[in-house]
Short mmCIF file of all heavy atoms in Angstrom, two decimals:
data_model
loop_
_atom_site.label_atom_id
_atom_site.label_comp_id
_atom_site.label_asym_id
_atom_site.label_seq_id
_atom_site.Cartn_x
_atom_site.Cartn_y
_atom_site.Cartn_z
N SER A 164 96.84 95.98 97.91
CA SER A 164 97.16 95.05 99.09
C SER A 164 97.56 96.00 100.26
O SER A 164 97.82 95.54 101.33
CB SER A 164 98.26 94.23 98.86
OG SER A 164 97.92 93.30 97.83
N ASP A 165 97.42 97.36 100.11
CA ASP A 165 97.80 98.18 101.25
C ASP A 165 96.63 98.56 102.04
O ASP A 165 95.67 99.40 101.55
CB ASP A 165 98.45 99.60 100.64
CG ASP A 165 98.85 100.53 101.70
OD1 ASP A 165 98.67 100.29 102.90
OD2 ASP A 165 99.45 101.54 101.23
N PRO A 166 96.44 98.20 103.28
CA PRO A 166 95.26 98.41 104.08
C PRO A 166 95.02 99.96 104.43
O PRO A 166 93.98 100.39 104.78
CB PRO A 166 95.40 97.49 105.31
CG PRO A 166 96.86 97.35 105.46
CD PRO A 166 97.39 97.28 104.05
N SER A 167 96.06 100.75 104.23
CA SER A 167 96.04 102.16 104.61
C SER A 167 95.44 102.94 103.42
O SER A 167 95.07 104.13 103.67
CB SER A 167 97.48 102.70 104.90
OG SER A 167 98.18 102.79 103.78
N SER A 168 95.36 102.37 102.29
CA SER A 168 94.63 103.00 101.19
C SER A 168 93.23 102.67 101.25
O SER A 168 92.64 101.73 100.65
CB SER A 168 95.33 102.48 99.89
OG SER A 168 94.68 103.18 98.79
N SER A 169 92.42 103.60 101.69
CA SER A 169 91.03 103.29 101.99
C SER A 169 90.13 103.45 100.78
O SER A 169 88.88 103.21 100.87
CB SER A 169 90.49 104.37 103.02
OG SER A 169 90.52 105.68 102.55
N SER A 170 90.70 103.70 99.57
CA SER A 170 89.82 103.87 98.40
C SER A 170 90.21 102.79 97.32
O SER A 170 89.60 102.75 96.27
CB SER A 170 90.01 105.21 97.75
OG SER A 170 91.37 105.33 97.32
N VAL A 171 91.04 101.83 97.66
CA VAL A 171 91.44 100.71 96.74
C VAL A 171 91.68 99.44 97.52
O VAL A 171 92.37 99.45 98.52
CB VAL A 171 92.69 101.13 95.93
CG1 VAL A 171 93.24 99.97 95.06
CG2 VAL A 171 92.59 102.39 95.33
N GLY A 172 91.02 98.28 97.08
CA GLY A 172 91.47 97.01 97.61
C GLY A 172 91.22 96.72 98.98
O GLY A 172 90.26 97.26 99.63
N PHE A 173 92.07 95.96 99.58
CA PHE A 173 92.01 95.60 101.04
C PHE A 173 91.99 96.87 101.85
O PHE A 173 92.94 97.73 101.93
CB PHE A 173 93.25 94.69 101.36
CG PHE A 173 93.37 94.30 102.77
CD1 PHE A 173 92.25 93.76 103.41
CD2 PHE A 173 94.53 94.36 103.48
CE1 PHE A 173 92.38 93.20 104.76
CE2 PHE A 173 94.68 93.97 104.71
CZ PHE A 173 93.53 93.44 105.41
N GLY A 174 91.05 97.03 102.68
CA GLY A 174 91.05 98.25 103.55
C GLY A 174 90.17 99.28 102.93
O GLY A 174 90.05 100.34 103.65
N GLY A 175 89.67 99.05 101.72
CA GLY A 175 88.77 100.07 101.15
C GLY A 175 87.50 100.30 101.89
O GLY A 175 86.98 99.37 102.72
N ARG A 176 86.96 101.48 101.78
CA ARG A 176 85.68 101.87 102.43
C ARG A 176 84.55 100.93 101.83
O ARG A 176 84.52 100.76 100.64
CB ARG A 176 85.36 103.25 102.30
CG ARG A 176 86.29 104.16 103.01
CD ARG A 176 86.18 104.09 104.49
NE ARG A 176 86.91 105.24 105.22
CZ ARG A 176 88.09 105.07 105.79
NH1 ARG A 176 88.64 103.86 105.81
NH2 ARG A 176 88.61 106.01 106.41
N PRO A 177 83.65 100.46 102.75
CA PRO A 177 82.65 99.56 102.28
C PRO A 177 81.40 100.33 101.60
O PRO A 177 81.29 101.55 101.72
CB PRO A 177 82.13 98.84 103.52
CG PRO A 177 82.45 99.78 104.59
CD PRO A 177 83.67 100.53 104.11
N ASP A 178 80.52 99.55 101.13
CA ASP A 178 79.31 100.15 100.72
C ASP A 178 78.34 100.51 101.83
O ASP A 178 78.80 100.22 103.09
CB ASP A 178 78.47 99.35 99.68
CG ASP A 178 78.05 97.93 100.22
OD1 ASP A 178 77.92 97.81 101.48
OD2 ASP A 178 77.95 96.97 99.44
N ARG A 179 77.14 101.00 101.71
CA ARG A 179 76.35 101.35 102.85
C ARG A 179 75.81 100.23 103.73
O ARG A 179 75.37 100.42 104.81
CB ARG A 179 75.19 102.25 102.37
CG ARG A 179 74.22 101.56 101.49
CD ARG A 179 73.09 102.68 101.09
NE ARG A 179 71.99 102.09 100.51
CZ ARG A 179 70.95 102.67 100.00
NH1 ARG A 179 70.86 103.97 100.15
NH2 ARG A 179 69.83 102.07 99.41
N GLU A 180 76.00 98.99 103.13
CA GLU A 180 75.58 97.77 103.88
C GLU A 180 76.82 97.20 104.65
O GLU A 180 76.52 96.17 105.33
CB GLU A 180 75.08 96.68 102.88
CG GLU A 180 73.90 97.15 101.94
CD GLU A 180 72.69 97.60 102.86
OE1 GLU A 180 72.48 97.09 103.90
OE2 GLU A 180 71.96 98.52 102.21
N GLY A 181 77.90 97.73 104.43
CA GLY A 181 79.15 97.22 105.11
C GLY A 181 80.01 96.23 104.39
O GLY A 181 80.91 95.65 105.02
N TYR A 182 79.82 96.16 103.00
CA TYR A 182 80.49 95.23 102.26
C TYR A 182 81.57 95.88 101.41
O TYR A 182 81.30 96.89 100.77
CB TYR A 182 79.65 94.29 101.41
CG TYR A 182 78.64 93.45 102.11
CD1 TYR A 182 77.39 93.93 102.47
CD2 TYR A 182 79.10 92.15 102.52
CE1 TYR A 182 76.48 93.19 103.04
CE2 TYR A 182 78.12 91.33 103.31
CZ TYR A 182 76.79 91.84 103.55
OH TYR A 182 75.90 91.16 104.35
N VAL A 183 82.76 95.36 101.32
CA VAL A 183 83.78 95.90 100.49
C VAL A 183 83.74 95.17 99.09
O VAL A 183 83.80 94.05 98.99
CB VAL A 183 85.18 95.80 101.01
CG1 VAL A 183 86.28 96.24 100.01
CG2 VAL A 183 85.37 96.46 102.34
N THR A 184 83.36 96.04 98.12
CA THR A 184 83.28 95.49 96.69
C THR A 184 84.26 96.24 95.83
O THR A 184 84.39 97.38 95.93
CB THR A 184 81.86 95.60 96.10
OG1 THR A 184 81.50 97.01 96.08
CG2 THR A 184 80.81 94.97 97.09
N LEU A 185 84.87 95.46 94.91
CA LEU A 185 85.96 95.98 94.14
C LEU A 185 85.72 95.99 92.64
O LEU A 185 85.08 95.10 92.05
CB LEU A 185 87.29 95.09 94.41
CG LEU A 185 87.69 94.97 95.97
CD1 LEU A 185 88.99 94.14 96.04
CD2 LEU A 185 87.84 96.39 96.63
N ASP A 186 86.31 96.87 91.90
CA ASP A 186 86.16 97.11 90.45
C ASP A 186 87.61 97.23 89.94
O ASP A 186 88.46 97.97 90.52
CB ASP A 186 85.38 98.29 90.07
CG ASP A 186 83.92 98.27 90.73
OD1 ASP A 186 83.45 97.23 90.90
OD2 ASP A 186 83.41 99.32 91.07
N ALA A 187 87.84 96.64 88.80
CA ALA A 187 89.12 96.80 88.20
C ALA A 187 89.07 96.37 86.74
O ALA A 187 88.26 95.65 86.33
CB ALA A 187 90.20 95.93 88.85
N CYS A 188 89.99 97.08 85.97
CA CYS A 188 90.16 96.62 84.56
C CYS A 188 91.72 96.75 84.14
O CYS A 188 92.38 97.54 84.81
CB CYS A 188 89.33 97.41 83.54
SG CYS A 188 89.65 99.09 83.38
N ILE A 189 91.97 96.20 83.00
CA ILE A 189 93.39 96.20 82.54
C ILE A 189 93.25 95.98 80.99
O ILE A 189 92.36 95.39 80.55
CB ILE A 189 94.15 95.07 83.11
CG1 ILE A 189 95.75 95.15 82.84
CG2 ILE A 189 93.80 93.57 82.71
CD1 ILE A 189 96.59 94.21 83.73
N MET A 190 94.17 96.74 80.29
CA MET A 190 94.25 96.73 78.83
C MET A 190 95.66 96.78 78.32
O MET A 190 96.45 97.56 78.89
CB MET A 190 93.50 97.97 78.34
CG MET A 190 93.09 97.89 76.83
SD MET A 190 91.83 99.22 76.42
CE MET A 190 91.57 98.74 74.79
N ASN A 191 95.97 96.07 77.33
CA ASN A 191 97.31 95.93 76.71
C ASN A 191 97.47 96.57 75.38
O ASN A 191 96.49 97.26 74.94
CB ASN A 191 97.85 94.56 76.71
CG ASN A 191 97.05 93.66 75.59
OD1 ASN A 191 96.42 94.20 74.70
ND2 ASN A 191 97.18 92.30 75.65
N HIS A 192 98.66 96.56 74.79
CA HIS A 192 98.95 97.21 73.59
C HIS A 192 98.25 96.72 72.42
O HIS A 192 98.15 97.50 71.43
CB HIS A 192 100.44 97.40 73.40
CG HIS A 192 101.06 95.92 73.04
ND1 HIS A 192 101.17 94.87 74.06
CD2 HIS A 192 101.46 95.32 72.00
CE1 HIS A 192 101.70 93.85 73.51
NE2 HIS A 192 101.87 94.03 72.22
N GLU A 193 97.78 95.57 72.50
CA GLU A 193 97.02 94.94 71.37
C GLU A 193 95.47 95.18 71.42
O GLU A 193 94.79 94.68 70.51
CB GLU A 193 97.26 93.53 71.28
CG GLU A 193 98.80 93.09 71.01
CD GLU A 193 99.01 91.69 70.96
OE1 GLU A 193 98.35 90.92 71.60
OE2 GLU A 193 99.90 91.21 70.18
N GLY A 194 95.08 95.83 72.46
CA GLY A 194 93.65 96.14 72.58
C GLY A 194 92.90 95.00 73.32
O GLY A 194 91.65 95.18 73.49
N ASP A 195 93.57 94.04 73.79
CA ASP A 195 93.00 93.07 74.66
C ASP A 195 92.79 93.57 75.99
O ASP A 195 93.55 94.50 76.50
CB ASP A 195 93.90 91.86 74.91
CG ASP A 195 94.29 91.15 73.49
OD1 ASP A 195 93.40 91.00 72.72
OD2 ASP A 195 95.41 90.71 73.44
N CYS A 196 91.52 93.34 76.68
CA CYS A 196 91.24 93.90 77.87
C CYS A 196 90.41 92.94 78.74
O CYS A 196 89.78 92.04 78.26
CB CYS A 196 90.54 95.21 77.65
SG CYS A 196 89.15 95.16 76.51
N GLY A 197 90.41 93.17 79.99
CA GLY A 197 89.57 92.35 81.00
C GLY A 197 89.16 93.17 82.16
O GLY A 197 89.85 94.22 82.54
N ALA A 198 88.02 92.83 82.73
CA ALA A 198 87.61 93.55 83.88
C ALA A 198 86.73 92.76 84.73
O ALA A 198 86.18 91.76 84.44
CB ALA A 198 86.69 94.75 83.42
N VAL A 199 86.60 93.28 86.07
CA VAL A 199 85.75 92.72 87.07
C VAL A 199 85.08 93.77 87.77
O VAL A 199 85.62 94.90 87.91
CB VAL A 199 86.52 91.77 88.20
CG1 VAL A 199 87.08 90.48 87.41
CG2 VAL A 199 87.73 92.46 88.78
N ALA A 200 83.82 93.58 88.22
CA ALA A 200 83.15 94.54 88.95
C ALA A 200 82.28 93.91 90.02
O ALA A 200 81.98 92.71 89.92
CB ALA A 200 82.20 95.37 88.03
N PHE A 201 82.01 94.56 91.10
CA PHE A 201 81.20 94.15 92.16
C PHE A 201 81.82 92.81 92.70
O PHE A 201 81.11 91.93 93.08
CB PHE A 201 79.81 93.97 91.77
CG PHE A 201 78.87 93.89 92.96
CD1 PHE A 201 78.90 94.67 94.03
CD2 PHE A 201 77.86 92.87 92.91
CE1 PHE A 201 78.00 94.51 95.15
CE2 PHE A 201 76.99 92.71 93.96
CZ PHE A 201 77.01 93.52 95.06
N LEU A 202 83.18 92.82 92.81
CA LEU A 202 83.95 91.66 93.27
C LEU A 202 84.08 91.69 94.76
O LEU A 202 84.68 92.72 95.27
CB LEU A 202 85.23 91.42 92.48
CG LEU A 202 86.14 90.24 92.90
CD1 LEU A 202 85.45 88.96 92.63
CD2 LEU A 202 87.44 90.45 92.11
#
């Protein structure tokens, strides 16, 4: 959520077409995991 961080989330640098697309994943102690890409 920090617009000054140009490599993560809001304020991130866009792709060469000018669109900001985001990737992320999360994993817990039981091995459960979830991810999103090109969001």
Side-chain angles (χ1 to χ4, degrees):
S164 297
D165 181 0
S167 69
S168 180
S169 63
S170 61
V171 180
F173 178 51
R176 294 290 190 253
D178 61 24
R179 67 183 189 178
E180 307 297 332
Y182 297 95
V183 178
T184 63
L185 307 179
D186 306 323
C188 71
I189 194 166
M190 193 170 187
N191 68 16
H192 66 286
E193 295 181 330
D195 299 322
C196 49
V199 292
F201 194 46
L202 176 64

